[in-house]
Amino acid sequence: MESSSFFKELLVFHKPQKAPFRLVGAGICMAIPLFIGYFSNNLLIGSFGSLGIFTFLYYQTLPFKDLMIRLSSVGSFLLLGNLLGMLSTHVPWVIPIMIALIAFLARIIFRLYAIAKPGAFFIVMVTAMGSGTKIPLDRIPIMMSYVLLGVITSLVVAVILYFVEGSVEAKPVEKKISLQERLYIDPAALLDALHYAAILFLATYISQSLHLTNAYWMIVSCAAVLQGDNLRAIMHRNVQRIFGTMVGLLIAALLLSIAFTTLQSILLICFFFLTVEFFIKRNYAIANFFTTPMSLLLANLARHQYLVSLLNYRLIGIVLGSLLGLLGAYVLTTCLRFYNRAYQLDENLDKETE
């Protein structure tokens, strides 16, 4: 009965709040850097600019000032993560430490300041992708300018969307709470962030030790699975991500057998991005059907690779990352359960002795 209930939950199709303009806004954000790169004959603008547009995915219905502070903060974090990821490639042993550090900071800050899902995920993803592309030091500022283009595009589209959707009522002025006070209110945030960083450190170390092609796939998959709110949700994400990736690989294999022009590839990337954004809150498995072909087409824009050979590496990285994320969550949950049981037992013994 329990197992059948688990598998039924995997097939649930959620109905999130309708926000059609946000879906259109996300598509515009992805299209702008891609088409700028296409018309300027510099496809690196599209590839790196697409990293900055993840800023827009943190859009929420908030008063204008709060919205701009939120998106600017996220955009700055994305820029910092990608920059440190790029720099770390010049000292390879630093990469696991750098990703763990960014993961820790993003996880604890986003939790304490209630920046809900996608939370720290895109910060970790952009950092990991930065660590997977070794760029000469003198070229890093240029690449960062492309990422900044994506961030600015997101902010401009967010401003337009804010006025299209209509302004929201100003919320009452709340007392400013310091970071220390927030941590005092939610002390579990520190343990959660340490656990998150430790698992991603291990994922980075393993992916480097195995010399996986595009090692960041394992890191990103592990971070995605750890986005679950509890162990059951993480188990759901683990199964959905692996199954969705398998279907996505079949779609990608079919597409890779067709010789698309650059313009056709750009249009396909925009279509897949919209499709992923439509399904991500409805059913995580279906969203992953389109993540793999989108990622491979995007990677192929700037540097042409023999992508068919990457299909196996992507599957290996995603399966290993998903399983590691599940294992890490299981170990922490089990340890906390035993600790709570022992703590309650000690309390009861103290009461009896009194």
Side-chain angles (χ1 to χ4, degrees), residues 30 33 45-55 78 82 86 122 125-127 129-130 133 146-147 150-151 154 298:
M30 175 61 84
I45 295 175
S47 292
F48 283 86
S50 64
L51 301 180
I53 65 101
F54 293 120
T55 303
L78 286 170
N82 194 241
M86 288 184 191
F122 285 117
M125 186 185 81
V126 168
T127 305
M129 292 180 74
T133 53
Y146 300 156
V147 181
V151 173
S154 297
L298 193 55

Side-chain angles (χ1 to χ4, degrees), residues 7-76:
F7 285 108
K8 282 181 181 178
E9 290 170 6
L10 294 176
L11 303 174
V12 171
F13 197 82
H14 302 285
K15 293 182 179 179
Q17 181 183 0
K18 291 183 179 180
F21 293 118
R22 295 186 196 182
L23 189 62
V24 174
I28 293 172
C29 285
M30 175 61 84
I32 288 176
L34 288 175
F35 279 104
I36 289 177
Y38 176 73
F39 288 114
S40 63
N41 200 28
N42 183 0
L43 295 175
L44 284 171
I45 295 175
S47 292
F48 283 86
S50 64
L51 301 180
I53 65 101
F54 293 120
T55 303
F56 182 81
L57 302 185
Y58 291 83
Y59 183 98
Q60 278 193 348
T61 304
L62 295 170
F64 185 75
K65 182 181 177 182
D66 293 344
L67 177 63
M68 288 298 102
I69 291 174
R70 175 189 176 92
L71 295 183
S72 299
S73 302
V74 170
S76 300

Side-chain angles (χ1 to χ4, degrees), residues 36-269:
I36 289 177
Y38 176 73
F39 288 114
S40 63
N41 200 28
N42 183 0
L43 295 175
L44 284 171
I45 295 175
S47 292
F48 283 86
S50 64
L51 301 180
I53 65 101
F54 293 120
T55 303
F56 182 81
L57 302 185
Y58 291 83
Y59 183 98
Q60 278 193 348
T61 304
L62 295 170
F64 185 75
K65 182 181 177 182
D66 293 344
L67 177 63
M68 288 298 102
I69 291 174
R70 175 189 176 92
L71 295 183
S72 299
S73 302
V74 170
S76 300
F77 225 132
L78 286 170
L79 287 167
L80 175 64
N82 194 241
L83 173 61
L84 294 178
M86 288 184 191
L87 291 174
S88 66
T89 60
H90 295 275
V91 188
W93 64 267
V94 173
I95 294 175
I97 299 172
M98 191 63 68
I99 289 177
L101 178 62
I102 291 293
F104 173 80
L105 291 174
R107 184 80 163 193
I108 194 168
I109 290 173
F110 280 39
R111 172 163 171 166
L112 292 178
Y113 285 90
I115 301 177
K117 291 179 181 178
F121 172 67
F122 285 117
I123 310 299
V124 172
M125 186 185 81
V126 168
T127 305
M129 292 180 74
S131 70
T133 53
K134 190 165 185 178
I135 297 169
L137 289 173
D138 61 324
R139 294 279 298 169
I140 288 179
I142 298 172
M143 299 306 163
M144 289 306 303
S145 70
Y146 300 156
V147 181
L148 179 61
L149 171 65
V151 173
I152 293 173
T153 299
S154 297
L155 293 175
V156 171
V157 174
V159 171
I160 295 171
L161 179 61
Y162 174 84
F163 290 106
V164 169
E165 284 192 336
S167 59
V168 297
E169 293 183 6
K171 61 180 182 181
V173 178
E174 297 179 356
K175 178 188 174 184
K176 288 187 177 181
I177 305 175
S178 67
L179 181 62
Q180 184 178 358
E181 289 174 312
R182 290 175 186 272
L183 189 58
Y184 180 80
I185 294 169
D186 183 15
L190 181 59
L191 177 61
D192 175 64
L194 285 170
H195 169 255
Y196 187 68
I199 296 299
L200 290 177
F201 175 90
L202 185 59
T204 310
Y205 182 79
I206 291 173
S207 64
Q208 285 188 312
S209 300
L210 295 176
H211 302 290
L212 297 178
T213 300
N214 289 354
Y216 60 82
W217 282 337
M218 181 175 175
I219 305 164
V220 171
S221 185
C222 187
V225 168
L226 289 172
Q227 284 295 104
D229 295 323
N230 49 55
L231 184 59
R232 192 175 184 87
I234 289 173
M235 290 173 67
H236 286 158
R237 278 181 166 255
N238 179 62
V239 175
Q240 289 174 321
R241 189 164 181 84
I242 293 174
F243 173 70
T245 298
M246 289 179 175
V247 175
L249 288 172
L250 294 175
I251 297 172
L254 175 63
L255 291 175
L256 294 177
S257 65
I258 304 171
F260 290 110
T261 65
T262 302
L263 181 59
Q264 289 170 336
S265 295
I266 288 173
L267 293 174
L268 275 173
I269 290 168

